[in-house]
Amino acid sequence: MKSVHDFDPFAEATIDCPYEFYGAMREQAPVYEAADNVYFVTTYDLIREVLVDTKTYSSKNGAAFLNFQGEEGLAPPSAPPPEIMEILVNGVENRDTMLSADPPEHTRFRALVNRSLTPKRVARLEHVMHSVVDDLIDKFIDRGEVEFVSEFSMMVPLTVVSIALGVPESELENYKFWSAEMSKVLAGRVSPEEQLVAAQARVDLQNYLASQVEAARSRTGETLVDDLVNAHLLIDAEDGDGKDYRPLDTPEIVSILQQLLIAGQETVNYLLSSTMLNLIENPEEFVKVASDISLVPAMLEEGLRVDSPIQALGRFVTQDTELGGVSLPEGSRLMVMYGCGNRDKTVFDEGESFQVDRVSDRKHIAFGAGPHYCPGANLARLESKVAMEHLLSRLKNIRLAPGKNDFAHQYNFIFRALNSLHLQFDVS
Amino acid sequence: MKLKIDLSKCVMSGQCYYFHPKLVRMDKNGHPELISAGVESAGDEVIDDLIEMCPALAIELVKDKSQ
């Protein structure tokens, strides 16, 4: 077994496969001190303990992400350097709405967003998903091969989320670029030039979204933007007695949309590509699903578990406390390691293996748990299901394209993202 | 009509007890548990919201056999 002392989150071997280190952390240091004042929470039960206690483990102060850019390694978030700030001031003012808020404020925003993403609301998009997926497959099916990430897994959520938000097709390329650049810098170590590009991408996306919000204010529509423009946020009444409501302002809506766009775009891409690779690497499991398409939802849950698209997000410790026998001083930063807890063998039998028909009475935490549970889970589940069902029924004998794959992952500590996946297949 | 949570469908997202703490609480295993007094006094709109927001569709209305 590896030793936690050899763990380097930035080593390329770790990025490509962190799981042996994860196993070592769970056994040797369930709360692992990764850097000064930075701890990884690695076992399933401790992760759940953190996620439901928002008073002790806050999402404020930019807690979700660490600073990955410094030479010294993982560090608490810090103010961006002046050359980045100079770009960011041209965007929309930041608001803490969801990812960076705690209850009760968080709950009020989430209640609004949840309403647009219930299973029922999301099901309205199902017919769109079928045609989006079929159109994408049509484009490559006659070739007998495909670069799965750029031609399919990236394009499915991009197109579906754009339709849900009412982003016109002409903006798709921009939106793909903004989303990719912003996610890269959120959790990977990138060059100073790339940081500037990411900051500009953020500003351009924010200003684009603000213009969409303004447009929605003077029309009647049914997109997510319209929902948010027409929503009423619960607030405390000014006389301190009872409740009141007010509309969301533009920076709040932009904050929400920005999170939905990036989270909704990148994660489904990673889930589809890693699940496809897991199927190919586990031929017996692949046969099970190919011969019984009703296993697709369970297979996707297993894909979420073994290669969680978001491997970790952070929290901020608000008061001196103890977790799993480790003292955590106020102000410490935690990384909550979903992707690690999801392989905890005390919870999941043979947790390292991919079993499409796994039955477990305890559930994976790829979508988190508690107040910050992924609001887009219903959308992600449905679009992934539609995508996989069409793929498995239209393509046969899906296999790796020989000599073309390096299985490299995005140089990113939080997102588990295959850069590319070259496949060959027969047409059914 | 009575409310029921189907624990075999539940994905332990915690959405029900966070967004409707008067209707649902978390038991010691992290599973949701209905609070009868809260459920009985809740209006239809609140009950509908509780049912709709569950990502696992695990909360349902069942016909009360005694009626």
Side-chain angles (χ1 to χ4, degrees):
Chain A
M1 175 178 268
K2 293 206 189 257
S3 162
V4 292
H5 301 296
D6 300 325
F7 176 72
D8 171 5
F10 295 107
E12 285 198 25
T14 313
I15 299 284
D16 285 341
C17 185
Y19 299 123
E20 275 192 68
F21 279 119
Y22 284 179
M25 285 174 195
R26 287 192 304 267
E27 298 226 338
Q28 298 166 25
V31 178
Y32 167 69
E33 189 168 6
D36 280 351
N37 254 353
V38 175
Y39 299 82
F40 291 178
V41 185
T42 68
T43 58
Y44 183 92
D45 287 330
L46 291 180
I47 290 172
R48 288 201 82 103
E49 191 177 325
V50 169
L51 294 177
V52 300
D53 182 359
T54 56
K55 283 206 175 77
T56 314
Y57 306 108
S58 164
S59 293
K60 287 184 178 165
N61 299 320
F65 302 100
L66 292 173
N67 181 0
F68 300 92
Q69 311 306 344
E71 286 303 312
E72 69 278 14
L74 298 172
S78 49
E83 63 274 22
I84 301 276
M85 280 311 294
E86 234 169 79
I87 298 174
L88 293 179
V89 292
N90 300 314
V92 175
E93 189 188 333
N94 273 330
R95 293 294 170 86
D96 291 327
T97 52
M98 297 199 297
L99 191 68
S100 55
D102 290 332
E105 295 80 14
H106 167 270
T107 315
R108 294 172 175 183
F109 285 105
R110 269 296 297 269
L112 299 182
V113 174
N114 285 354
R115 245 165 253 159
S116 297
L117 291 166
T118 60
K120 222 191 216 170
R121 274 301 294 275
V122 163
R124 281 201 224 157
L125 286 168
E126 186 171 350
H127 67 282
V128 173
M129 296 175 188
H130 285 288
S131 66
V132 165
V133 166
D134 258 339
D135 287 351
L136 287 168
I137 297 176
D138 285 344
K139 286 186 190 156
F140 64 74
I141 192 163
D142 293 335
R143 291 207 312 268
E145 61 175 46
V146 62
E147 198 290 277
F148 189 73
V149 174
S150 60
E151 294 184 68
F152 189 78
S153 63
M154 182 188 283
M155 298 308 293
V156 171
L158 177 71
T159 319
V160 170
V161 175
S162 307
I163 292 169
L165 290 172
V167 174
E169 227 180 312
S170 56
E171 290 291 337
L172 278 193
E173 278 303 312
N174 277 338
Y175 158 37
K176 182 164 89 182
F177 174 79
W178 294 330
S179 171
E181 292 304 317
M182 284 175 66
S183 64
K184 240 195 264 175
V185 76
L186 274 178
R189 191 182 277 171
V190 300
S191 68
E193 294 74 31
E194 282 176 296
Q195 291 180 49
L196 294 177
V197 172
Q200 189 59 51
R202 172 185 288 263
V203 167
D204 292 345
L205 173 64
Q206 288 177 337
N207 289 328
Y208 174 70
L209 291 174
S211 72
Q212 293 296 102
V213 172
E214 292 315 321
R217 289 197 190 281
S218 53
R219 68 165 185 229
T220 319
E222 284 194 343
T223 71
L224 238 157
V225 185
D226 295 283
D227 282 358
L228 292 171
V229 162
N230 296 317
H232 293 279
L233 183 74
L234 176 66
I235 52 171
D236 297 319
E238 268 178 28
D239 57 8
D241 188 22
K243 302 291 181 198
D244 212 343
Y245 292 88
R246 67 162 173 84
L248 297 172
D249 66 21
T250 299
E252 286 167 342
I253 300 179
V254 168
S255 159
I256 292 169
L257 290 173
Q258 188 177 305
Q259 293 172 57
L260 294 179
L261 276 180
I262 308 241
Q265 159 61 19
E266 301 300 324
T267 51
V268 173
N269 171 18
Y270 309 157
L271 172 64
L272 291 174
S273 53
S274 69
T275 302
M276 183 53 82
L277 181 57
N278 276 317
L279 284 173
I280 293 170
E281 287 179 336
N282 296 275
E284 284 173 21
E285 300 301 305
F286 206 156
V287 169
K288 284 186 206 165
V289 191
S291 57
D292 179 3
I293 210 101
S294 72
L295 281 174
V296 164
M299 169 197 80
L300 287 163
E301 296 304 310
E302 183 68 346
L304 284 160
R305 188 188 68 80
V306 295
D307 274 318
S308 308
I310 297 181
Q311 291 276 302
L313 282 175
R315 292 291 187 274
F316 172 81
V317 178
T318 59
Q319 56 192 352
D320 290 354
T321 189
E322 195 187 289
L323 181 69
V326 174
S327 298
L328 302 175
E330 179 186 338
S332 307
R333 300 279 167 167
L334 304 184
M335 287 313 272
V336 181
M337 309 292 284
Y338 311 109
C340 180
N342 273 335
R343 288 176 173 236
D344 191 331
K345 65 180 182 210
T346 67
V347 175
F348 303 101
D349 287 339
E350 298 178 52
E352 303 290 340
S353 71
F354 177 79
Q355 302 169 9
V356 297
D357 47 1
R358 181 183 288 276
V359 179
S360 171
D361 58 344
R362 305 194 63 195
K363 309 300 178 172
H364 72 71
I365 39 178
F367 289 121
H372 291 274
Y373 183 85
C374 173
N378 304 315
L379 183 63
R381 284 184 161 120
L382 186 58
E383 49 183 322
S384 309
K385 171 175 172 281
V386 170
M388 279 296 175
E389 285 174 352
H390 282 264
L391 284 171
L392 297 182
S393 61
R394 295 186 66 189
L395 315 181
K396 294 295 163 204
N397 189 20
I398 302 174
R399 57 202 183 267
L400 297 173
K404 285 192 170 176
N405 287 295
D406 62 5
F407 307 109
H409 286 73
Q410 205 184 95
Y411 191 58
N412 191 310
F413 175 71
I414 282 187
F415 300 121
R416 179 131 183 94
L418 268 174
N419 284 330
S420 62
L421 183 63
H422 295 270
L423 302 177
Q424 292 181 347
F425 51 84
D426 302 335
V427 180
S428 65
Chain B
M1 300 290 263
K2 239 180 104 189
L3 265 188
K4 195 188 99 187
I5 300 180
D6 183 344
L7 287 183
S8 70
K9 289 187 192 166
C10 173
V11 294
M12 293 168 75
S13 72
Q15 299 295 281
C16 51
Y17 44 76
Y18 273 102
F19 291 101
H20 293 285
K22 289 179 185 155
L23 278 61
V24 188
R25 64 179 159 232
M26 174 169 65
D27 75 9
K28 61 181 189 314
N29 299 314
H31 292 119
E33 192 175 63
L34 290 168
I35 305 168
S36 347
V39 172
E40 275 156 30
S41 59
D44 288 352
E45 218 174 288
V46 176
I47 299 285
D48 285 348
D49 191 62
L50 173 69
I51 292 172
E52 281 193 17
M53 54 108 71
C54 171
L57 301 173
I59 308 177
E60 47 201 57
L61 281 172
V62 283
K63 285 212 173 97
D64 196 338
K65 283 187 190 127
S66 64
Q67 284 179 0

